[in-house]
Amino acid sequence: MSETPNFQEGAVLLINKPLTWTSFDVVRKIRNTTKAKIGHAGTLDPLATGLLICCTGKMTKKINEYQAKEKEYTGTFTLGAITPTFDLESEPQDHQPVPELDKAALQAIADKFTGPLQQLPPIHSAIKQNGKPIYHLARKGVEVKVEPRSIVIHAFEITAVELPVVHFRVECSTGTYIRSLANDFGAAVGCGGYLSSLCRTRIGPFKLEDAMDVVQFIEEYKKMQETQNG
């Protein structure tokens, strides 16, 4: 930041969300620092890292617009097991041998998941049922029903293979659950799979390489405030 934006009036911040932080952790930290009204454009799970767009003041009106933009992710699937949450927030189970498939064979499977799709969201997600996030209900053992959602996978590239780990890059529409894609991909391979790491690298034209670490942001903000207050 070359100069302190007017956060009360409105600003857009590109933040690199740290591992294990919730998206709300980031919002709370920035709000406590700037004392401004703030929201974010698209939740990242605690075990995901990467680009989080935070809007303050009048720019919070832009949140829905930013949230609707195409997104890009990189990460890894681990084959040979599944998890209830489709990621590492729950323990792998139903272990199976992983077939010796090369990159080309795995790419051929990935190609089947490109284009318009109907995707079933995880039951461990923030989708609401009877006014409550369904992950609360799922954790209590309450039966949860989810309906398939229309999504678009614009690109699904297998970037490297180190079985049982498969590295990928995905460009997709808003509303896509990469955890569900991991689970569906593992099922298509025939041995199960779950999301073992995830990084959001782009939202529309906004790129992770232009984002700032949240702790770095807070330190720079405080320094600028001290300079301005002289």
Side-chain angles (χ1 to χ4, degrees), residues 37-82:
K37 174 185 177 183
I38 182 172
H40 68 77
T43 301
L44 280 173
D45 291 331
L47 295 184
T49 61
L51 181 60
L52 188 71
I53 298 178
C54 294
C55 301
T56 74
K58 293 179 180 177
M59 293 305 291
T60 55
K61 295 177 182 178
K62 290 276 193 179
I63 284 176
N64 288 341
E65 177 186 329
Y66 294 148
Q67 210 160 313
K69 292 185 180 296
E70 178 186 288
K71 298 171 180 67
E72 180 186 68
Y73 298 89
T74 60
T76 57
F77 301 148
T78 297
L79 299 174
I82 60 173

Short mmCIF file of all heavy atoms in Angstrom, two decimals, residues 37-82:
data_model
loop_
_atom_site.label_atom_id
_atom_site.label_comp_id
_atom_site.label_asym_id
_atom_site.label_seq_id
_atom_site.Cartn_x
_atom_site.Cartn_y
_atom_site.Cartn_z
N LYS A 37 -16.69 -1.13 8.02
CA LYS A 37 -17.62 -2.16 7.58
C LYS A 37 -16.91 -3.01 6.52
O LYS A 37 -16.26 -2.47 5.62
CB LYS A 37 -18.86 -1.51 6.99
CG LYS A 37 -19.85 -2.47 6.34
CD LYS A 37 -20.97 -1.68 5.67
CE LYS A 37 -21.94 -2.60 4.95
NZ LYS A 37 -23.00 -1.85 4.24
N ILE A 38 -17.02 -4.33 6.61
CA ILE A 38 -16.25 -5.17 5.69
C ILE A 38 -16.96 -6.50 5.44
O ILE A 38 -17.69 -7.01 6.30
CB ILE A 38 -14.82 -5.43 6.24
CG1 ILE A 38 -13.99 -6.27 5.26
CG2 ILE A 38 -14.87 -6.07 7.62
CD1 ILE A 38 -12.54 -6.40 5.64
N GLY A 39 -16.77 -7.04 4.24
CA GLY A 39 -17.25 -8.37 3.90
C GLY A 39 -16.29 -8.99 2.90
O GLY A 39 -15.37 -8.33 2.41
N HIS A 40 -16.49 -10.27 2.60
CA HIS A 40 -15.61 -10.93 1.63
C HIS A 40 -16.43 -11.53 0.50
O HIS A 40 -17.62 -11.82 0.66
CB HIS A 40 -14.74 -12.00 2.29
CG HIS A 40 -15.52 -13.18 2.82
ND1 HIS A 40 -16.00 -14.18 2.00
CD2 HIS A 40 -15.90 -13.52 4.07
CE1 HIS A 40 -16.63 -15.08 2.72
NE2 HIS A 40 -16.59 -14.70 3.99
N ALA A 41 -15.79 -11.74 -0.64
CA ALA A 41 -16.47 -12.21 -1.85
C ALA A 41 -16.11 -13.67 -2.13
O ALA A 41 -15.31 -13.96 -3.02
CB ALA A 41 -16.11 -11.33 -3.04
N GLY A 42 -16.67 -14.58 -1.35
CA GLY A 42 -16.45 -15.99 -1.63
C GLY A 42 -15.64 -16.69 -0.56
O GLY A 42 -14.44 -16.46 -0.44
N THR A 43 -16.29 -17.56 0.20
CA THR A 43 -15.65 -18.25 1.31
C THR A 43 -14.60 -19.25 0.83
O THR A 43 -14.79 -19.95 -0.16
CB THR A 43 -16.72 -19.01 2.13
OG1 THR A 43 -17.68 -18.07 2.62
CG2 THR A 43 -16.10 -19.75 3.30
N LEU A 44 -13.49 -19.30 1.57
CA LEU A 44 -12.51 -20.37 1.42
C LEU A 44 -12.55 -21.22 2.68
O LEU A 44 -12.60 -20.69 3.80
CB LEU A 44 -11.09 -19.79 1.25
CG LEU A 44 -10.69 -19.29 -0.12
CD1 LEU A 44 -9.32 -18.61 -0.06
CD2 LEU A 44 -10.65 -20.42 -1.16
N ASP A 45 -12.54 -22.54 2.53
CA ASP A 45 -12.52 -23.43 3.68
C ASP A 45 -11.24 -23.23 4.49
O ASP A 45 -10.22 -22.80 3.93
CB ASP A 45 -12.62 -24.89 3.23
CG ASP A 45 -13.98 -25.23 2.64
OD1 ASP A 45 -14.98 -24.59 3.05
OD2 ASP A 45 -14.05 -26.13 1.78
N PRO A 46 -11.25 -23.57 5.79
CA PRO A 46 -10.05 -23.39 6.61
C PRO A 46 -8.79 -24.06 6.06
O PRO A 46 -7.70 -23.52 6.18
CB PRO A 46 -10.46 -24.02 7.96
CG PRO A 46 -11.94 -23.83 8.00
CD PRO A 46 -12.41 -24.01 6.59
N LEU A 47 -8.95 -25.23 5.41
CA LEU A 47 -7.78 -25.94 4.89
C LEU A 47 -7.39 -25.49 3.49
O LEU A 47 -6.47 -26.05 2.89
CB LEU A 47 -8.03 -27.45 4.90
CG LEU A 47 -8.20 -28.07 6.29
CD1 LEU A 47 -8.36 -29.57 6.19
CD2 LEU A 47 -7.01 -27.73 7.19
N ALA A 48 -8.06 -24.46 2.97
CA ALA A 48 -7.68 -23.86 1.68
C ALA A 48 -6.91 -22.57 1.93
O ALA A 48 -7.09 -21.90 2.96
CB ALA A 48 -8.91 -23.58 0.84
N THR A 49 -6.06 -22.23 1.00
CA THR A 49 -5.33 -20.96 1.04
C THR A 49 -5.67 -20.17 -0.21
O THR A 49 -6.41 -20.63 -1.07
CB THR A 49 -3.81 -21.19 1.10
OG1 THR A 49 -3.40 -21.89 -0.10
CG2 THR A 49 -3.41 -22.01 2.31
N GLY A 50 -5.12 -18.95 -0.30
CA GLY A 50 -5.23 -18.23 -1.56
C GLY A 50 -6.08 -16.99 -1.50
O GLY A 50 -6.35 -16.42 -0.43
N LEU A 51 -6.51 -16.57 -2.67
CA LEU A 51 -7.09 -15.24 -2.86
C LEU A 51 -8.46 -15.10 -2.20
O LEU A 51 -9.39 -15.86 -2.49
CB LEU A 51 -7.21 -14.95 -4.36
CG LEU A 51 -7.78 -13.58 -4.74
CD1 LEU A 51 -6.93 -12.45 -4.18
CD2 LEU A 51 -7.89 -13.47 -6.26
N LEU A 52 -8.56 -14.09 -1.34
CA LEU A 52 -9.82 -13.70 -0.72
C LEU A 52 -10.00 -12.21 -0.98
O LEU A 52 -9.14 -11.41 -0.58
CB LEU A 52 -9.79 -13.99 0.78
CG LEU A 52 -11.10 -13.81 1.54
CD1 LEU A 52 -12.08 -14.91 1.17
CD2 LEU A 52 -10.85 -13.80 3.05
N ILE A 53 -11.07 -11.85 -1.68
CA ILE A 53 -11.35 -10.44 -1.93
C ILE A 53 -12.16 -9.90 -0.76
O ILE A 53 -13.24 -10.42 -0.45
CB ILE A 53 -12.13 -10.23 -3.24
CG1 ILE A 53 -11.31 -10.72 -4.44
CG2 ILE A 53 -12.50 -8.77 -3.43
CD1 ILE A 53 -12.04 -10.60 -5.78
N CYS A 54 -11.64 -8.86 -0.10
CA CYS A 54 -12.34 -8.22 1.01
C CYS A 54 -12.74 -6.80 0.59
O CYS A 54 -11.92 -6.06 0.03
CB CYS A 54 -11.46 -8.15 2.25
SG CYS A 54 -11.07 -9.79 2.93
N CYS A 55 -13.98 -6.45 0.81
CA CYS A 55 -14.51 -5.14 0.43
C CYS A 55 -14.95 -4.38 1.67
O CYS A 55 -15.61 -4.94 2.55
CB CYS A 55 -15.70 -5.29 -0.51
SG CYS A 55 -15.34 -6.18 -2.04
N THR A 56 -14.58 -3.09 1.75
CA THR A 56 -14.97 -2.28 2.89
C THR A 56 -15.88 -1.13 2.44
O THR A 56 -15.92 -0.78 1.26
CB THR A 56 -13.74 -1.69 3.62
OG1 THR A 56 -13.20 -0.62 2.82
CG2 THR A 56 -12.68 -2.73 3.86
N GLY A 57 -16.58 -0.53 3.43
CA GLY A 57 -17.40 0.64 3.15
C GLY A 57 -18.37 0.42 2.01
O GLY A 57 -19.02 -0.63 1.91
N LYS A 58 -18.45 1.41 1.12
CA LYS A 58 -19.39 1.34 0.00
C LYS A 58 -19.05 0.23 -0.99
O LYS A 58 -19.91 -0.21 -1.76
CB LYS A 58 -19.43 2.68 -0.73
CG LYS A 58 -20.03 3.82 0.09
CD LYS A 58 -20.01 5.12 -0.69
CE LYS A 58 -20.62 6.26 0.13
NZ LYS A 58 -20.53 7.56 -0.58
N MET A 59 -17.81 -0.22 -0.98
CA MET A 59 -17.41 -1.28 -1.93
C MET A 59 -18.00 -2.64 -1.55
O MET A 59 -17.92 -3.57 -2.35
CB MET A 59 -15.89 -1.37 -2.02
CG MET A 59 -15.23 -0.14 -2.66
SD MET A 59 -15.90 0.23 -4.31
CE MET A 59 -15.26 -1.16 -5.24
N THR A 60 -18.61 -2.75 -0.36
CA THR A 60 -19.29 -4.01 -0.04
C THR A 60 -20.45 -4.27 -1.01
O THR A 60 -20.88 -5.41 -1.15
CB THR A 60 -19.82 -3.99 1.41
OG1 THR A 60 -20.66 -2.84 1.59
CG2 THR A 60 -18.68 -3.96 2.42
N LYS A 61 -20.93 -3.21 -1.67
CA LYS A 61 -21.99 -3.39 -2.68
C LYS A 61 -21.48 -4.18 -3.87
O LYS A 61 -22.28 -4.68 -4.68
CB LYS A 61 -22.51 -2.04 -3.14
CG LYS A 61 -23.21 -1.24 -2.03
CD LYS A 61 -23.63 0.13 -2.52
CE LYS A 61 -24.29 0.94 -1.41
NZ LYS A 61 -24.67 2.31 -1.86
N LYS A 62 -20.18 -4.31 -4.02
CA LYS A 62 -19.59 -5.02 -5.16
C LYS A 62 -19.40 -6.52 -4.87
O LYS A 62 -18.99 -7.27 -5.76
CB LYS A 62 -18.21 -4.41 -5.48
CG LYS A 62 -18.27 -3.01 -6.08
CD LYS A 62 -18.49 -3.09 -7.57
CE LYS A 62 -18.25 -1.77 -8.26
NZ LYS A 62 -18.46 -1.89 -9.72
N ILE A 63 -19.66 -6.93 -3.63
CA ILE A 63 -19.35 -8.31 -3.23
C ILE A 63 -20.04 -9.34 -4.14
O ILE A 63 -19.40 -10.27 -4.62
CB ILE A 63 -19.73 -8.54 -1.75
CG1 ILE A 63 -18.67 -7.88 -0.86
CG2 ILE A 63 -19.82 -10.03 -1.44
CD1 ILE A 63 -18.98 -7.96 0.63
N ASN A 64 -21.33 -9.18 -4.38
CA ASN A 64 -22.04 -10.16 -5.23
C ASN A 64 -21.47 -10.20 -6.65
O ASN A 64 -21.39 -11.27 -7.27
CB ASN A 64 -23.53 -9.84 -5.27
CG ASN A 64 -24.22 -10.16 -3.96
OD1 ASN A 64 -23.70 -10.91 -3.14
ND2 ASN A 64 -25.38 -9.56 -3.75
N GLU A 65 -21.07 -9.03 -7.15
CA GLU A 65 -20.48 -8.96 -8.49
C GLU A 65 -19.17 -9.75 -8.55
O GLU A 65 -18.93 -10.53 -9.48
CB GLU A 65 -20.22 -7.50 -8.86
CG GLU A 65 -19.55 -7.30 -10.21
CD GLU A 65 -19.18 -5.85 -10.48
OE1 GLU A 65 -19.90 -4.96 -9.97
OE2 GLU A 65 -18.18 -5.61 -11.17
N TYR A 66 -18.31 -9.54 -7.55
CA TYR A 66 -17.03 -10.25 -7.52
C TYR A 66 -17.24 -11.75 -7.29
O TYR A 66 -16.55 -12.59 -7.87
CB TYR A 66 -16.12 -9.69 -6.43
CG TYR A 66 -15.68 -8.26 -6.66
CD1 TYR A 66 -15.46 -7.40 -5.58
CD2 TYR A 66 -15.50 -7.75 -7.93
CE1 TYR A 66 -15.06 -6.08 -5.77
CE2 TYR A 66 -15.11 -6.43 -8.14
CZ TYR A 66 -14.89 -5.60 -7.06
OH TYR A 66 -14.50 -4.31 -7.26
N GLN A 67 -18.20 -12.07 -6.44
CA GLN A 67 -18.46 -13.46 -6.09
C GLN A 67 -18.91 -14.26 -7.31
O GLN A 67 -18.66 -15.47 -7.40
CB GLN A 67 -19.55 -13.50 -5.02
CG GLN A 67 -19.44 -14.68 -4.07
CD GLN A 67 -20.19 -14.42 -2.78
OE1 GLN A 67 -20.06 -13.37 -2.19
NE2 GLN A 67 -20.99 -15.37 -2.36
N ALA A 68 -19.56 -13.61 -8.26
CA ALA A 68 -20.11 -14.30 -9.43
C ALA A 68 -19.06 -14.59 -10.50
O ALA A 68 -19.34 -15.30 -11.47
CB ALA A 68 -21.23 -13.46 -10.04
N LYS A 69 -17.85 -14.06 -10.34
CA LYS A 69 -16.83 -14.20 -11.38
C LYS A 69 -16.23 -15.60 -11.39
O LYS A 69 -16.24 -16.32 -10.38
CB LYS A 69 -15.74 -13.14 -11.19
CG LYS A 69 -16.24 -11.72 -11.45
CD LYS A 69 -15.12 -10.71 -11.38
CE LYS A 69 -15.64 -9.29 -11.63
NZ LYS A 69 -16.17 -9.11 -12.99
N GLU A 70 -15.67 -15.97 -12.55
CA GLU A 70 -14.98 -17.25 -12.71
C GLU A 70 -13.80 -17.33 -11.73
O GLU A 70 -13.17 -16.33 -11.42
CB GLU A 70 -14.46 -17.36 -14.15
CG GLU A 70 -13.66 -18.62 -14.44
CD GLU A 70 -13.06 -18.59 -15.83
OE1 GLU A 70 -13.83 -18.74 -16.79
OE2 GLU A 70 -11.83 -18.41 -15.95
N LYS A 71 -13.53 -18.54 -11.26
CA LYS A 71 -12.45 -18.74 -10.31
C LYS A 71 -11.46 -19.79 -10.81
O LYS A 71 -11.83 -20.67 -11.58
CB LYS A 71 -13.02 -19.15 -8.94
CG LYS A 71 -13.92 -18.07 -8.34
CD LYS A 71 -14.64 -18.54 -7.11
CE LYS A 71 -15.52 -17.42 -6.54
NZ LYS A 71 -16.65 -17.07 -7.44
N GLU A 72 -10.23 -19.66 -10.35
CA GLU A 72 -9.19 -20.64 -10.69
C GLU A 72 -8.58 -21.17 -9.40
O GLU A 72 -8.34 -20.41 -8.45
CB GLU A 72 -8.10 -20.00 -11.55
CG GLU A 72 -6.98 -20.98 -11.92
CD GLU A 72 -5.83 -20.30 -12.65
OE1 GLU A 72 -5.12 -19.48 -12.01
OE2 GLU A 72 -5.65 -20.58 -13.84
N TYR A 73 -8.34 -22.48 -9.38
CA TYR A 73 -7.75 -23.13 -8.22
C TYR A 73 -6.62 -24.06 -8.66
O TYR A 73 -6.67 -24.63 -9.76
CB TYR A 73 -8.78 -23.99 -7.48
CG TYR A 73 -9.96 -23.25 -6.91
CD1 TYR A 73 -11.10 -23.03 -7.68
CD2 TYR A 73 -9.95 -22.77 -5.60
CE1 TYR A 73 -12.20 -22.36 -7.16
CE2 TYR A 73 -11.04 -22.10 -5.08
CZ TYR A 73 -12.16 -21.90 -5.86
OH TYR A 73 -13.25 -21.23 -5.35
N THR A 74 -5.65 -24.25 -7.78
CA THR A 74 -4.68 -25.32 -7.93
C THR A 74 -4.69 -26.13 -6.63
O THR A 74 -5.12 -25.64 -5.59
CB THR A 74 -3.26 -24.79 -8.19
OG1 THR A 74 -2.84 -23.97 -7.08
CG2 THR A 74 -3.20 -23.97 -9.48
N GLY A 75 -4.20 -27.36 -6.71
CA GLY A 75 -4.18 -28.16 -5.49
C GLY A 75 -3.87 -29.60 -5.79
O GLY A 75 -3.35 -29.95 -6.86
N THR A 76 -4.23 -30.46 -4.83
CA THR A 76 -3.97 -31.89 -4.97
C THR A 76 -5.18 -32.71 -4.53
O THR A 76 -5.88 -32.35 -3.59
CB THR A 76 -2.76 -32.34 -4.13
OG1 THR A 76 -2.97 -32.01 -2.75
CG2 THR A 76 -1.47 -31.70 -4.62
N PHE A 77 -5.40 -33.80 -5.25
CA PHE A 77 -6.31 -34.86 -4.83
C PHE A 77 -5.43 -36.01 -4.34
O PHE A 77 -4.36 -36.25 -4.90
CB PHE A 77 -7.15 -35.39 -5.98
CG PHE A 77 -8.01 -34.36 -6.67
CD1 PHE A 77 -8.29 -34.49 -8.04
CD2 PHE A 77 -8.56 -33.30 -5.99
CE1 PHE A 77 -9.10 -33.57 -8.69
CE2 PHE A 77 -9.37 -32.36 -6.63
CZ PHE A 77 -9.64 -32.50 -7.98
N THR A 78 -5.89 -36.72 -3.33
CA THR A 78 -5.24 -37.96 -2.93
C THR A 78 -6.20 -39.11 -3.22
O THR A 78 -7.34 -39.13 -2.74
CB THR A 78 -4.85 -37.94 -1.44
OG1 THR A 78 -3.89 -36.90 -1.22
CG2 THR A 78 -4.22 -39.27 -1.02
N LEU A 79 -5.75 -40.05 -4.03
CA LEU A 79 -6.56 -41.19 -4.44
C LEU A 79 -6.40 -42.35 -3.45
O LEU A 79 -5.43 -42.42 -2.70
CB LEU A 79 -6.16 -41.64 -5.84
CG LEU A 79 -6.34 -40.60 -6.96
CD1 LEU A 79 -5.76 -41.15 -8.27
CD2 LEU A 79 -7.80 -40.22 -7.13
N GLY A 80 -7.38 -43.26 -3.47
CA GLY A 80 -7.27 -44.48 -2.68
C GLY A 80 -8.04 -44.46 -1.38
O GLY A 80 -7.93 -45.40 -0.57
N ALA A 81 -8.84 -43.42 -1.14
CA ALA A 81 -9.68 -43.34 0.06
C ALA A 81 -10.69 -42.22 -0.14
O ALA A 81 -10.55 -41.40 -1.06
CB ALA A 81 -8.83 -43.09 1.32
N ILE A 82 -11.70 -42.17 0.72
CA ILE A 82 -12.65 -41.06 0.72
C ILE A 82 -12.72 -40.49 2.13
O ILE A 82 -12.23 -41.11 3.09
CB ILE A 82 -14.05 -41.51 0.26
CG1 ILE A 82 -14.60 -42.61 1.18
CG2 ILE A 82 -14.02 -41.98 -1.19
CD1 ILE A 82 -16.05 -42.99 0.90
#
